[in-house]
Amino acid sequence: MTTKLLSLLFLFCTAFTFSQNTTASGTVTDEATGLPIPGVNILVKNTSKGASTDFDGRFTISDVPVNATLVFSYVGYKEQEVVVTNSNPINISMIEDTESLDEVVVIGYGTQKKKEITGAVAVISSEEIEKLKPTRIEQALQGQVAGVNITSQSGSPGAPATISIRGVSTNGDSRPLILVDGNVIEDLSTINPSDIESVNVLKDATAGIYGVRAANGVILITTKTGKRNRPLSVDINTYGGFQQTTRKIPVLNATDYALLVNEAFAANGSALVFPNVGDLGQGTDWQDEVFENAAIYNVAATISGGKEKSAYAYGASFLSQDGIVGGNKSNFSRITQRLNYSVDFLENFKLNSGLIFTHTNKKNLSENGLGSVLFNALNMAPTFDVRTPDGDYTIAEGLGNEVINPLAQIDNTFNRALVDKIAGNVSLSYNFLEHFTAQANYQFNWAQVESKVFNPVSFFGSGKVFNRDRSEIVINDQTFRDYTFDAFIKYENAFNDVHNLSVLLGTSVFKSTGSFGGFVGFDIPGNSIANATLDQASDVQNLFPNGNTEFDARLLSYFTRVQYDYDGKYLISAVVRRDGSTKFGPENKFGIFPSGSVGWIISEEEFMESNDIVNFLKLRGSYGVLGNDRIGDFRFVSLLNGEGEYVINDDIRFGTAIGGLSNPEIKWEKQTTLDIGIDAKFFQNQLDLTVDYYKKTTEDLLIVPQVSGVIGVAAPGSSPPFVNAGIVENEGWEFSIGYNKVVNDDFNWNLRYNITTLENNVVEVSADGEFLTGGNFGVGQDPPSRMEEGFPIGYFRGFKTDGIFQNQAEVDAGPTINSAVRPGDLRFVDINDDGIIDDNDRTDIGNPLPDVTMGLNFSFEFKNIDFAVYAFASIGNDLVRNYERNQPLTNRSSYYLDRWTGEGTSNNFPRVTSGANSNSLFSDFFVEDGDFVRLQNVQLGYSISEKALEGSKISKLRFYVSASNLFTLTEYSGYDPTIFATSNPDGTPASAIGAGIDYGFYPTPKTFLLGMNLKF
């Protein structure tokens, strides 16, 4: 009986104890700023009871059981749990969860958790961009993402770069699709890198949701926006510094040059040019004269904030960058302004909008070709002074028609381009019927480009092709407009807690229009840039006598996507897109492009639960077909947009003629993409690993074939037709590994490495087994590059050498290309063993495409000090040295000091002679190893401690020093081995056939910066 009474008493006391409740209250603040956070969700664990913080971050929950657990959660912050023990205030400091934010990835028409993605997607955060301090966003991609290769078109200020994702797949336009907040952006100079929140790169068939132009991959850029329930904050980022050339090419000084010239003329039986060499000394170093330390500075400010239902951000920046060649004569300046605003009109009705304005001013000097400033600096004789005793520029006589005084060239160059661009977007989304979302997006771009070139009357020497006896002003105006309208409905639902389904159905409309116009005016008064206007010109001519050239291109697309996962472990995604393009005729206008991907999160399986090593493991694969339509407009019909000359009553009249030849049968270029990948994390997520195998096959390439000039393709305004021909394959592996170690509260470090292999092969050019040629070498020689079956696209075709003829007996015994061959000349290999050297002996002598690219990034933080270093490497590609004019009186590279001067003196460098010889024919003598390792960036920063900032409104103050392009390890003898797809000597963009040829490449400068980050 006593036992029963004691048991009842114990049960009563226990029930009384557990029935004790209290009131939980307190304040929630941001740990970094100390500011209150409104809207934080607080929930009593395992119940539906809870509350949210008010605008001051305060909360109150009544009737909370003692020892209950409160769960604090808010988007962008780490979730926290607190046990309620009494009624004392509970004050919580929430920590921003950047890792969690990075796990949400922007994909086509929405976002997805990174763990659930079944495609090959890479992410670069704003923190990584901040460490690199790039002037253009392309510079932040190099070495950061496996499979993405960035090659310079020029190192001049504001010059664009060429982006290729997993190799070059076509001889046409191989650029990826770039979207900034949904806007199609072709020119990334309009974006201030400081404004970017994240960059996502879609590398496989999952890019197919974007349809047209996604065949070459997709780069999604998201700009920074305000955050809800945040007070006004201000970010200021500024830096300044200087740039300089990374190297000079060793050339002969005046004395060595004169001795070499004398030897060359003597070898041809001519009189000596310099009978008195002893007084010449070092002479003029023309590279020293044209290169200079150039200033660069940037300031950017952003204000942002938000209330409970809205957020805003406004940013403005200014960049000015002088050139290491020409200084202010090649300056690039950029002004950007950006505005983002989002608001929830209703609980289920939201608006997002953005606007970007950019103004750029780029001054241009001649570069990357015959007659460019650097070309002249390399080939100008060191025996000339910069100026005469009278102070005039020295006239360079006797050096050939193309080589002129580069300082006079800079002084007589007046070339600038002004660009104004506006890009905007607005999005409305509406949630209805619990699981449905309807959304409409409208994006537009407008750009006005005005270029002005003033060419004064100038004399550079007798017979120079750059001489002008009549001044002229050339004005070109271009207007570009486009808009994109997307509308879609999304259904998302979960069934029985294990079936998760998302269905997307939508349509997209794209329209791009624009016009080109231009005038040239002659005889500017006073031969002065101050008077260089069309109004001042005595004779004005329309560059487009048939009226402004206009274009109009349109796309219409329908798409659907189904995503399903079972219990968060088995993932499936399927996309079908139907695209229609005005680039093709009625029979071929539309194409259907399906793609699909699957994933298996192995780490979610029961047999992996007790695993302490592997924290995450996912196997994924994708396969699909994507389309490409990047060719000129209306090439399937004949247009009267050519230029014609007609004789009427003995007078020449200008009119119209048939333009580019048409091909009604052209259709979509198609790319089939396969990807198999593994994502894994180990050792408490400290080590992460990603491995991908990929294969891309591009069929029905849109190419311009070799055609006879008899059919009129050389006429002004005409061109050969486009045809569908050829198959190109790219195959390789991507490997990325990273290790992040938090040693203690004061010290952490991070190491990342990625490597990509690439094998490019042309499977077919046409059914007839033809080939395409491209590129330029020397003057009057055949194109050095080819697209041909069985070789990489754009491989170099020329003569193979086998040393130097050492004596006349060897010349007599061996096959030679002509009777002018002498001892000391290059020995060409008789490839087909027919006893003669001719075009049939030209063979594969190099490949412009790298076999392997690598990136290595290391960073650490110790207390208030942060340090980061980035390196990039490219292995397996070759480069063509084509910046030497090779005329009797032009200067030469210093390796000619090791030339052949008699039997046994050299087997590498041929003799010099002023007479005709075969040594300048394109051969592997001009092809060099393009391998390099470059230290991309080194940065050291120091942040003022929070304690020192107490009492001020400053939440962050950091100073840093940075060095970019600090050094490059390479055996290449040119300025910069990062060259790939530069412009051709005539200024037109180079295709893949013609890449890797160095026409006097403007090097990417070495840059030193001092900067500050301020936030309050």
Side-chain angles (χ1 to χ4, degrees):
M1 186 66 177
T2 303
T3 303
K4 289 182 179 181
L5 288 173
L6 290 174
S7 299
L8 288 172
L9 181 62
F10 174 77
L11 290 172
F12 176 79
C13 292
T14 302
F16 178 78
T17 300
F18 278 95
S19 68
Q20 286 184 354
N21 293 343
T22 186
T23 298
S25 63
T27 304
V28 180
T29 58
D30 183 304
E31 184 189 57
T33 65
L35 298 173
I37 307 177
V40 176
N41 294 316
I42 304 102
L43 195 67
V44 180
K45 195 171 185 177
N46 299 324
T47 74
S48 59
K49 191 172 187 175
S52 59
T53 56
D54 60 18
F55 192 78
D56 295 320
R58 293 191 292 263
F59 72 94
T60 300
I61 307 176
S62 59
D63 201 27
V64 177
V66 175
N67 295 323
T69 300
L70 299 183
V71 181
F72 294 78
S73 62
Y74 189 67
V75 175
Y77 288 85
K78 294 181 179 180
E79 189 176 276
Q80 293 191 43
E81 295 185 358
V82 176
V83 177
V84 178
T85 58
N86 50 50
S87 60
N88 292 335
I90 301 173
N91 297 321
I92 298 295
S93 295
M94 298 197 74
I95 303 171
E96 191 169 2
D97 188 1
T98 55
E99 181 178 354
S100 176
L101 289 173
D102 289 344
E103 292 295 324
V104 178
V105 177
V106 177
I107 59 172
Y109 307 104
T111 60
Q112 190 176 23
K113 290 183 179 179
K114 190 173 182 180
K115 65 175 291 187
E116 298 172 353
I117 288 177
T118 51
V121 180
V123 180
I124 302 177
S125 67
S126 60
E127 288 81 7
E128 292 172 293
I129 297 173
E130 174 71 20
K131 292 173 183 177
L132 288 170
K133 292 294 178 298
T135 57
R136 293 179 61 105
I137 187 57
E138 300 102 310
Q139 298 165 346
L141 293 173
Q142 183 71 294
Q144 304 296 306
V145 179
V148 177
N149 194 23
I150 311 297
T151 49
S152 302
Q153 293 187 21
S154 170
S156 64
T162 298
I163 305 174
S164 60
I165 299 177
R166 292 182 169 178
V168 178
S169 304
T170 175
N171 183 47
D173 192 338
S174 60
R175 293 172 298 169
L177 174 65
I178 301 174
L179 298 172
V180 178
D181 293 334
N183 282 53
V184 177
I185 299 291
E186 297 286 357
D187 182 8
L188 283 174
S189 69
T190 61
I191 306 300
N192 175 24
S194 298
D195 289 336
I196 294 175
E197 181 67 33
S198 67
V199 179
N200 298 341
V201 183
L202 312 184
K203 298 184 284 187
D204 65 348
T206 54
I209 188 64
Y210 287 106
V212 181
R213 293 176 293 179
N216 300 313
V218 178
I219 297 176
L220 304 175
I221 298 176
T222 304
T223 61
K224 295 176 181 177
T225 62
K227 295 182 179 180
R228 306 292 175 92
N229 299 309
R230 288 289 186 91
L232 174 68
S233 65
V234 179
D235 285 274
I236 298 176
N237 298 298
T238 182
Y239 62 78
F242 66 94
Q243 312 154 91
Q244 58 185 213
T245 184
T246 51
R247 68 170 303 190
K248 294 192 305 177
I249 296 176
V251 293
L252 301 178
N253 62 35
T255 301
D256 289 333
Y257 162 80
L259 291 170
L260 193 81
V261 169
N262 284 345
E263 181 181 321
F265 276 74
N268 196 42
S270 303
L272 299 183
V273 179
F274 298 98
N276 187 5
V277 177
D279 297 333
L280 293 176
Q282 294 293 311
T284 302
D285 188 327
W286 290 98
Q287 293 181 84
D288 274 349
E289 297 295 335
V290 299
F291 281 124
E292 60 181 87
N293 287 340
I296 178 174
Y297 60 90
N298 179 81
V299 59
T302 300
I303 60 173
S304 62
K307 297 183 179 181
E308 183 178 353
K309 295 185 178 181
S310 65
Y312 61 88
Y314 170 77
S317 68
F318 175 74
L319 167 73
S320 178
Q321 181 182 11
D322 282 345
I324 58 174
V325 176
N328 185 258
K329 272 295 185 79
S330 59
N331 174 270
F332 172 77
S333 62
R334 179 184 64 211
I335 298 173
T336 65
Q337 295 188 74
R338 178 182 58 88
L339 177 65
N340 295 97
Y341 180 71
S342 62
V343 62
D344 296 350
F345 291 112
L346 302 170
E347 185 177 350
N348 55 350
F349 187 41
K350 302 179 180 180
L351 176 143
N352 288 283
S353 61
L355 192 67
I356 299 174
F357 167 76
T358 307
H359 171 80
T360 62
N361 184 355
K362 188 177 189 309
K363 299 178 182 179
N364 299 293
L365 292 172
S366 177
E367 58 182 76
N368 294 346
L370 183 73
S372 69
V373 173
L374 287 178
F375 179 91
N376 287 319
L378 288 170
N379 291 279
M380 186 73 175
T383 51
F384 287 103
D385 294 326
V386 175
R387 294 181 182 269
T388 66
D390 296 332
D392 298 325
Y393 284 111
T394 299
I395 302 299
E397 298 287 5
L399 299 182
N401 295 336
E402 304 91 4
V403 180
I404 62 176
N405 185 329
L407 276 300
Q409 180 183 18
I410 292 173
D411 201 41
N412 283 274
T413 300
F414 304 91
N415 185 339
R416 66 111 175 96
L418 295 175
V419 182
D420 289 308
K421 293 187 177 184
I422 298 177
N425 66 85
V426 60
S427 172
L428 290 170
S429 63
Y430 179 69
N431 300 329
F432 63 98
L433 297 180
E434 206 170 333
H435 301 294
F436 288 87
T437 300
Q439 185 166 325
N441 305 326
Y442 177 81
Q443 301 105 25
F444 72 91
N445 292 284
W446 174 88
Q448 184 74 41
V449 182
E450 180 190 85
S451 63
K452 177 180 179 181
V453 179
F454 172 58
N455 296 312
V457 174
S458 51
F459 179 76
F460 297 104
S462 302
K464 302 294 185 182
V465 296
F466 305 106
N467 291 340
R468 290 189 177 275
D469 55 10
R470 194 181 186 189
S471 62
E472 66 177 22
I473 176 71
V474 183
I475 303 290
N476 277 288
D477 289 304
Q478 304 171 31
T479 302
F480 302 90
R481 299 174 296 271
D482 69 63
Y483 76 83
T484 304
F485 176 76
D486 300 321
F488 57 88
I489 293 178
K490 186 186 297 184
Y491 171 80
E492 296 177 301
N493 200 0
F495 305 93
N496 300 327
D497 295 328
V498 292
H499 302 282
N500 299 290
L501 178 66
S502 175
V503 180
L504 177 74
L505 180 64
T507 184
S508 179
V509 178
F510 175 79
K511 180 179 180 180
S512 177
T513 61
S515 61
F516 301 82
F519 295 88
V520 56
F522 297 95
D523 304 325
I524 305 303
N527 196 37
S528 170
I529 182 65
N531 300 322
T533 64
L534 293 176
D535 294 336
Q536 295 274 14
S538 64
D539 179 18
V540 178
Q541 298 176 8
N542 192 340
L543 294 174
F544 301 93
N546 300 323
N548 284 4
T549 301
E550 298 184 353
F551 65 90
D552 186 335
R554 308 183 187 199
L555 301 167
L556 174 63
S557 305
Y558 306 96
F559 53 87
T560 184
R561 178 178 63 201
V562 178
Q563 295 170 300
Y564 168 80
D565 77 74
Y566 175 78
D567 200 21
K569 293 186 289 187
Y570 312 111
L571 316 169
I572 298 175
S573 178
V575 173
V576 177
R577 181 155 177 148
R578 184 174 186 259
D579 288 316
S581 171
T582 57
K583 303 291 180 72
F584 309 115
E587 299 299 321
N588 301 309
K589 192 174 298 294
F590 282 91
I592 297 177
F593 307 103
S595 61
S597 57
V598 295
W600 176 27
I601 302 180
I602 304 173
S603 54
E604 295 291 329
E605 298 288 357
E606 291 185 4
F607 61 81
M608 294 288 291
E609 287 182 356
S610 59
N611 193 307
D612 295 329
I613 298 176
V614 181
N615 306 112
F616 178 77
L617 180 61
K618 178 174 65 177
L619 176 66
R620 51 180 167 76
S622 65
Y623 182 83
V625 180
L626 298 89
N628 187 8
D629 73 338
R630 290 197 171 191
I631 59 173
D633 298 329
F634 301 108
R635 296 305 302 270
F636 62 92
V637 292
S638 296
L639 299 176
L640 288 173
N641 58 359
E643 300 176 23
E645 293 184 6
Y646 305 93
V647 179
I648 303 176
N649 296 329
D650 295 328
D651 291 330
I652 296 178
R653 303 291 179 88
F654 296 95
T656 59
I658 293 177
L661 300 186
S662 65
N663 177 9
E665 303 300 322
I666 54 174
K667 59 184 179 180
W668 289 90
E669 180 178 288
K670 295 182 179 180
Q671 183 183 109
T672 303
T673 301
L674 169 68
D675 183 279
I676 300 174
I678 296 175
D679 300 318
K681 291 180 179 292
F682 306 91
F683 310 117
Q684 286 73 50
N685 297 317
Q686 293 182 116
L687 179 69
D688 61 86
L689 173 70
T690 299
V691 180
D692 281 271
Y693 165 78
Y694 66 91
K695 184 175 183 179
K696 298 194 301 183
T697 303
T698 307
E699 301 180 358
D700 294 328
L701 269 69
L702 290 163
I703 61 175
V704 177
Q706 310 284 347
V707 296
S708 171
V710 175
I711 63 177
V713 296
S718 184
S719 60
F722 275 92
V723 300
N724 290 100
I727 302 173
V728 175
E729 286 185 350
N730 283 287
E731 185 177 13
W733 290 84
E734 293 175 357
F735 176 87
S736 179
I737 187 169
Y739 186 77
N740 182 48
K741 177 66 174 178
V742 178
V743 180
N744 51 46
D745 292 341
D746 292 331
F747 181 60
N748 67 82
W749 59 274
N750 181 282
L751 179 66
R752 301 200 65 83
Y753 170 76
N754 66 75
I755 180 172
T756 302
T757 68
L758 170 66
E759 182 179 350
N760 176 277
N761 183 50
V762 176
V763 178
E764 179 184 293
V765 178
S766 71
D768 299 327
E770 298 175 352
F771 57 83
L772 301 178
T773 60
N776 294 272
F777 182 81
V779 177
Q781 296 196 42
D782 292 336
S785 302
R786 274 194 178 186
M787 175 182 177
E788 187 174 1
E789 181 179 334
F791 298 92
I793 189 168
Y795 82 96
F796 303 131
R797 182 178 181 270
F799 292 110
K800 200 173 204 178
T801 60
D802 184 23
I804 305 289
F805 285 112
Q806 297 296 321
N807 50 54
Q808 188 61 43
E810 289 185 3
V811 174
D812 296 337
T816 58
I817 195 166
N818 55 46
S819 59
V821 176
R822 297 287 183 270
D825 288 338
L826 292 171
R827 184 203 305 266
F828 297 140
V829 177
D830 184 9
I831 297 295
N832 59 1
D833 292 324
D834 62 355
I836 58 175
I837 302 296
D838 56 18
D839 188 67
N840 294 321
D841 295 305
R842 298 182 192 268
T843 186
D844 177 11
I845 57 173
N847 175 15
L849 303 177
D851 298 323
V852 177
T853 55
M854 294 180 285
L856 178 65
N857 310 322
F858 172 74
S859 63
F860 73 80
E861 294 180 2
F862 177 69
K863 294 186 177 180
N864 299 335
I865 298 173
D866 60 90
F867 174 81
V869 59
Y870 298 84
F872 178 76
S874 176
I875 299 172
N877 65 298
D878 300 295
L879 297 172
V880 173
R881 186 181 71 254
N882 190 30
Y883 47 78
E884 300 163 322
R885 187 62 186 93
N886 290 323
Q887 289 190 328
L889 290 173
T890 56
N891 202 2
R892 308 230 180 184
S893 298
S894 60
Y895 57 68
Y896 270 92
L897 295 174
D898 298 323
R899 67 197 176 280
W900 186 92
T901 56
E903 185 170 352
T905 56
S906 176
N907 201 36
N908 297 309
F909 296 102
R911 69 187 176 113
V912 292
T913 177
S914 61
N917 64 85
S918 59
N919 296 325
S920 60
L921 294 177
F922 182 55
S923 68
D924 57 11
F925 175 70
F926 298 97
V927 178
E928 298 188 22
D929 186 347
D931 295 355
F932 70 90
V933 177
R934 168 166 288 178
L935 188 60
Q936 296 274 97
N937 184 268
V938 179
Q939 186 172 145
L940 177 65
Y942 180 81
S943 299
I944 305 300
S945 66
E946 295 180 7
K947 184 176 181 180
L949 296 174
E950 284 182 4
S952 70
K953 295 184 178 181
I954 299 175
S955 59
K956 178 182 179 181
L957 179 57
R958 175 179 176 265
F959 299 94
Y960 65 89
V961 291
S962 171
S964 300
N965 195 17
L966 200 55
F967 66 81
T968 302
L969 302 178
T970 182
E971 295 183 356
Y972 180 58
S973 60
Y975 283 119
D976 193 332
T978 62
I979 177 176
F980 173 67
T982 68
S983 60
N984 291 315
D986 61 0
T988 59
S991 67
I993 311 176
I997 302 176
D998 189 346
Y999 302 102
F1001 184 64
Y1002 192 125
T1004 303
K1006 183 188 305 181
T1007 305
F1008 299 92
L1009 300 176
L1010 174 64
M1012 178 189 71
N1013 308 128
L1014 173 64
K1015 183 175 182 179
F1016 56 88

